[in-house]
Amino acid sequence: MKIGIFGDVHANLDAFEAVLQDMHDKGVRSHVCLGDIVGYGAHPAECIDLVKQLNCTVVRGNHDHYCGTQTDLSAMNARAALSISWTRDNLSEEQREYLITLPMREEVEEFTVVHSSLDSPENWPYVFHQEDAEAHFAFQKSALCFCGHTHVPLAFELSDTIRSGLYQKVRIKSGNKYLINVGSVGQPRDGDPRAAYAIYDIYDSIVELHRVAYDVGKAAKAIVDGGLPPKNGERLFEGR
Ligand code: ZN
């Protein structure tokens, strides 16, 4: 069974549709969404509807949380705050409610999913370094956990030590623990502008990262036309 694992769509409908098509072409019939459906991009309502249609496990991201609530945004960087208030105004009440009913973490099959880290997920910590991963692994009971949030596809393997790095394929070995970040569909930040997601083949115990080219110009134009900060679109061309 192949499970398509994706996150950080960030209201980028063009990237999201390209990823769903690619997953379908590769035999994926089951999905998991790691959160941040909305924020930054021009199509939050459409992306929420599309995620709902998948009828899959979804966990809450920080942008979902802030767009679904009326949390004060004054401590946040100006562009993120502007994007969030724009998104709030462009969602229905029902869609905002949907975002805040999403769980912070979930168990699927024999693995765990979380947007940021199992170490205080409500504080949205980033897992980039050994010590971040160590804090996370202290709360990971399952052998395998998927996350997003940094928009950088990194894999962490815990055996007697923690090893980490960019990956193409990870073979899940019994006895070890894994935290795998699947990158971002709608706003990659690893220098590769193509949309990122992973396929977990349960029977073969392999996680494989995939990249999908999509019409970045169209997504960027929708951001400008919609009245969102133009920088939200410019960064898509560079994957930063
Ligand atoms: Zn995000």
Side-chain angles (χ1 to χ4, degrees):
M1 184 163 95
K2 291 178 172 184
I3 305 180
I5 307 191
F6 68 94
D8 295 284
V9 170
H10 284 292
N12 186 337
L13 184 63
D14 300 287
F16 191 21
E17 286 178 337
V19 160
L20 290 175
Q21 184 61 51
D22 195 66
M23 284 181 182
H24 188 268
D25 295 346
K26 291 184 164 67
V28 167
R29 299 292 179 266
S30 160
H31 306 80
V32 170
C33 174
L34 299 174
D36 273 6
I37 304 166
V38 300
Y40 296 124
H43 297 108
E46 293 85 343
C47 289
I48 289 177
D49 289 348
L50 211 43
V51 168
K52 283 168 107 174
Q53 277 172 32
L54 294 175
N55 211 2
C56 67
T57 296
V58 187
V59 289
R60 192 191 316 179
N62 47 324
H63 284 259
D64 304 324
H65 179 82
Y66 294 128
C67 292
T69 59
Q70 290 303 321
T71 310
D72 178 59
L73 306 172
S74 52
M76 200 172 279
N77 89 59
R79 201 151 34 79
L82 234 151
S83 305
I84 288 165
S85 59
W86 183 96
T87 303
R88 284 175 178 168
D89 294 342
N90 283 273
L91 293 177
S92 67
E93 197 180 326
E94 189 211 333
Q95 286 172 322
R96 288 196 301 273
E97 256 164 41
Y98 166 77
L99 293 175
I100 52 164
T101 59
L102 297 172
M104 296 297 291
R105 53 173 290 170
E106 203 63 74
E107 308 294 327
V108 189
E109 306 283 337
E110 84 290 21
F111 60 87
T112 309
V113 293
V114 67
H115 181 67
S116 59
S117 162
L118 293 177
D119 170 31
S120 64
E122 67 286 352
N123 294 323
W124 316 106
Y126 288 102
V127 180
F128 271 119
H129 308 291
Q130 300 294 93
E131 56 271 25
D132 311 325
E134 206 177 323
H136 161 89
F137 278 128
F139 294 90
Q140 184 180 324
K141 304 266 194 296
S142 57
L144 175 60
C145 180
F146 291 99
C147 70
H149 194 40
T150 64
H151 301 203
V152 177
L154 282 178
F156 296 85
E157 181 185 48
L158 170 68
S159 49
D160 35 345
T161 55
I162 296 175
R163 296 192 306 142
S164 67
L166 296 165
Y167 66 98
Q168 187 58 53
K169 262 188 196 187
V170 178
R171 184 175 294 277
I172 307 303
K173 298 182 202 126
S174 67
N176 294 353
K177 281 188 180 178
Y178 297 84
L179 171 64
I180 298 183
N181 188 313
V182 303
S184 167
V185 170
Q187 195 193 79
R189 293 180 193 159
D190 61 343
D192 183 341
R194 295 174 301 165
Y197 77 94
I199 293 179
Y200 176 34
D201 189 318
I202 291 198
Y203 297 128
D204 291 345
S205 295
I206 289 176
V207 178
E208 187 170 4
L209 187 72
H210 295 280
R211 303 303 289 247
V212 186
Y214 72 97
D215 193 342
V216 175
K218 193 171 163 219
K221 184 174 185 301
I223 283 168
V224 175
D225 292 350
L228 278 157
K231 181 84 184 123
N232 292 4
E234 288 159 20
R235 65 188 303 174
L236 298 178
F237 291 96
E238 293 161 21
R240 293 283 174 208

